[in-house]
Amino acid sequence: MFSADSIDLERYAEQTAALIGLPIPPDCKPGVIANLERTAAIAQLVLEFPLSPEAESAAVFVPIGGGTGGVTG
């Protein structure tokens, strides 16, 4: 399973930024890495959440409050 400890987040940030042509100033790099660490921790909680075999994703997404712009699938 994925773990933030299993990848080098600094290297990931540098390579991803280079791939999309986004410069990361040196003084911003610690903040970028901290945000990646937080995002990875949140993602880990989602990935570890137990679901029963019967659980299915919703076929239609409707934002809270109704309205238009929902994604159907």
Side-chain angles (χ1 to χ4, degrees):
M1 180 161 286
F2 169 79
S3 168
D5 297 328
S6 66
I7 62 171
D8 180 346
L9 292 176
E10 182 172 1
R11 185 170 177 225
Y12 174 80
E14 291 170 352
Q15 291 181 344
T16 304
L19 183 66
I20 63 173
L22 177 69
I24 301 176
D27 58 327
C28 292
K29 192 178 289 189
V32 170
I33 294 167
N35 279 309
L36 286 172
E37 289 169 344
R38 277 196 276 315
T39 302
I42 293 167
Q44 191 65 40
L45 292 173
V46 172
L47 291 171
E48 291 174 353
F49 188 83
L51 293 174
S52 69
E54 297 81 26
E56 295 184 21
S57 61
V60 177
F61 169 74
V62 179
I64 294 175
T68 61
V71 177
T72 60

